[in-house]
Amino acid sequence: MTEVASILHADLDSFYASVEQRDNPRLRNRPVIVGAGVVLAASYEAKAYGVRSAMNGGQARMLCPHAIVVPPRMETYSEASKAVFEVFHDFTPLVEPLSPDEAFLDVSGATKLLGSPAQIAADLRSQVLADVGLAISVGVARTKFLAKVASAQAKPDGMIVVEPDRERAFLHPLPVEVLWGVGPVTSAKLRDHGVETVGDLAASGGAELQGLLGSHAGRHLRALAHNRDPRPVDNSRRDRSMGAQRALGQRVRTREELRTELLGLAEKVAARLRKAERVTRTVTVRYRNADHERESRSRTLVEPSASTQLLTATADDLLLTLVDGPHGPGSRLGRVGCSLIGITFSGLGRADAVQLALRFPEEGRSTERLDGLVDDIRQRWGSKAVARASLIRRSEGIEVLGRPTALDA
DNA sequence: TCTGGGGTCCTAGGACCC
DNA sequence: TCTGGGGTCCTAGGACCC
């Protein structure tokens, strides 16, 4: 946490809809909805009628009958996102992406060269508009959390700088829902207890909140309400999981159709995994029945892998535990139905780290060689890698060497 | 009008080890 | 044989975010 407000949260306004308006002049100043079945994004003109993202398409058209509905163009959005992040990196190397249209920037090291954080934020906004043609809102504050709240308040196409002496006056009158981590469930609990604003939350007792929300969430939200958020902007984060899912219609699926669907998804994600040069430790199959109740089954592999064959076979096994009931193959599927099937790979590591661990047997077991390898790993991947390496060293057994663990990326 | 697709983080119980 | 604490890993589920 810095002493001055030098963390920026930059957030593109109605990203997909803005790209459509940028590329097609006829859509400008008109209500635009991206996505037909479900609203992926809505322009501000459509939002004025109550249209929200994730809303059902039919409901959105009822609220705003004259809206123009366009199909999504994901590749175009991806290019626009890449271009915006290039602009971010022109201002500072400390960029932490949150999503394709959102990032934190720490500009504390750039002020000598580029001016005050407020000046940098203003320049960032005009540069993104000039280079990519999109409006971006920016919040500037001492903490990540407050910068994010500020950018949300600055929308559309604005910026807010929260100076340290104005934090409380800015934050406390806002509704609790602006806090990161307060969704419908938590919001209802808090309001039942008379907590409506961030100021109410800050005034509540810690023990009371922890009793209501659980120990972690209680402590976390109380800290945010007091603007205590020590998390630094981290530009080294990597994805922790990778997955794909597919919603299925009303039609009843057979066991075989479901398997085909899932194995297709597994192949697709395994290919993405290999392209990213990563391996997974845990395979999870997600399932939603006809009543939209969710279930999942997961399995941790003996060793990390990105092999399509192993991952699809594991997915297949897990699926069968979900669909096969006591009355024979697929009998449970017949009873509960299926409206969504998905797969997630988690516990991701670097593919090259596994290969490094596999070098062990060839190098023998002499202490010097092990020490050298530990040093090598420490230099490349830091303390977490050392912890894994010392485990291997302590046991000195072939059974551990044969089961390398993916080092965290 | 019954509900997309991509993620993150946390909890709680059980197995297992020291 | 019974008892206990501390720690890690795994699994299933839930809340939340864009």
Side-chain angles (χ1 to χ4, degrees):
Chain A
M1 190 158 70
T2 52
E3 295 309 309
V4 291
S6 59
I7 293 178
L8 275 56
H9 179 260
D11 196 348
L12 290 159
D13 298 337
S14 296
F15 180 37
Y16 297 172
S18 299
V19 173
E20 296 302 332
Q21 288 179 320
R22 176 195 71 178
D23 293 352
N24 183 350
R26 290 188 304 123
L27 301 181
R28 288 181 200 156
N29 304 314
R30 306 198 38 196
V32 175
I33 293 174
V34 179
V38 72
V39 177
L40 293 173
S43 70
Y44 279 93
E45 296 82 2
K47 282 179 181 168
Y49 289 85
V51 177
R52 295 284 175 269
S53 59
M55 186 178 268
N56 175 279
Q59 187 186 3
R61 279 189 294 275
M62 264 171 48
L63 288 168
C64 187
H66 58 297
I68 303 168
V69 181
V70 300
R73 296 182 300 150
M74 291 302 171
E75 275 180 29
T76 306
Y77 309 147
S78 171
E79 282 167 23
S81 170
K82 210 175 286 177
V84 169
F85 275 83
E86 277 173 22
V87 176
F88 291 169
H89 282 281
D90 286 343
F91 284 79
T92 171
L94 281 176
V95 177
E96 177 181 336
L98 279 184
S99 71
D101 62 337
E102 213 184 334
F104 288 113
L105 291 79
D106 183 339
V107 299
S108 57
T111 51
K112 279 216 175 75
L113 213 56
L114 302 176
S116 69
Q119 184 62 53
I120 294 174
D123 290 346
L124 184 77
R125 277 164 38 75
S126 47
Q127 199 62 46
V128 168
L129 187 62
D131 286 8
V132 198
L134 295 174
I136 190 161
S137 295
V138 179
V140 185
R142 221 161 38 90
T143 63
K144 279 164 71 163
F145 150 72
L146 198 59
K148 186 166 161 70
V149 174
S151 75
Q153 299 296 310
K155 282 177 174 295
D157 196 12
M159 66 176 268
I160 288 180
V161 181
V162 184
E163 297 295 353
D165 60 347
R166 293 278 305 153
E167 286 173 354
R168 188 173 297 235
F170 169 76
L171 187 57
H172 282 192
L174 298 174
V176 285
E177 286 78 13
V178 305
L179 296 188
W180 218 356
V182 177
V185 176
T186 306
S187 158
K189 278 186 200 166
L190 289 171
R191 287 182 177 269
D192 277 352
H193 283 70
V195 176
E196 296 190 355
T197 66
V198 179
D200 293 341
L201 190 66
S204 308
E208 183 191 345
L209 285 175
Q210 289 182 41
L212 191 61
L213 307 173
S215 76
H216 182 91
R219 251 196 301 264
H220 179 66
L221 291 182
R222 202 172 119 84
L224 292 186
H226 287 281
N227 194 30
R228 289 194 298 263
D229 178 15
R231 295 168 298 179
V233 173
D234 180 0
N235 60 356
S236 68
R237 282 174 58 102
R238 305 282 294 268
D239 287 343
R240 297 191 177 279
S241 67
M242 225 181 251
Q245 55 183 46
R246 178 152 302 160
L248 308 169
Q250 317 292 350
R251 192 171 67 79
V252 178
R253 303 278 162 158
T254 66
R255 183 175 184 265
E256 281 313 307
E257 281 175 313
L258 211 49
R259 286 180 71 187
T260 306
E261 198 71 61
L262 177 66
L263 300 188
L265 291 173
E267 272 178 37
K268 203 175 77 179
V269 187
R272 271 171 61 201
L273 201 58
R274 285 193 298 274
K275 194 173 174 204
E277 299 185 329
R278 314 201 78 196
V279 288
T280 177
R281 288 246 302 146
T282 305
V283 178
T284 304
V285 171
R286 302 184 183 287
Y287 189 96
R288 195 178 69 189
N289 69 20
D291 291 330
H292 291 267
E293 292 162 341
R294 290 161 183 283
E295 275 188 86
S296 66
R297 293 290 181 273
S298 63
R299 183 181 301 164
T300 297
L301 306 171
V302 172
E303 85 186 51
S305 169
S307 142
T308 294
Q309 205 205 334
L310 176 64
L311 297 178
T312 53
T314 305
D316 197 18
D317 268 7
L318 291 169
L319 177 66
L320 298 188
T321 71
L322 283 161
V323 300
D324 289 349
H327 306 294
S331 62
R332 188 156 179 280
L333 172 63
R335 234 179 34 255
V336 302
C338 179
S339 62
L340 177 143
I341 191 77
I343 187 160
T344 301
F345 299 145
S346 57
L348 302 189
R350 306 166 52 133
D352 58 350
V354 173
Q355 286 165 15
L356 186 70
L358 281 169
R359 257 173 39 207
F360 261 90
E362 292 150 28
E363 298 209 351
R365 293 196 212 157
S366 89
T367 310
E368 300 96 57
R369 283 170 183 272
L370 285 171
D371 281 342
L373 191 51
V374 169
D375 284 345
D376 191 27
I377 290 170
R378 177 187 294 147
Q379 278 188 1
R380 289 207 214 174
W381 286 301
S383 59
K384 196 148 190 179
V386 172
R388 307 264 199 203
S390 63
L391 182 72
I392 293 169
R393 181 167 148 204
R394 197 174 58 229
S395 51
E396 279 186 306
I398 194 73
E399 70 279 7
V400 175
L401 300 178
R403 292 174 47 175
T405 301
L407 302 171
D408 281 2

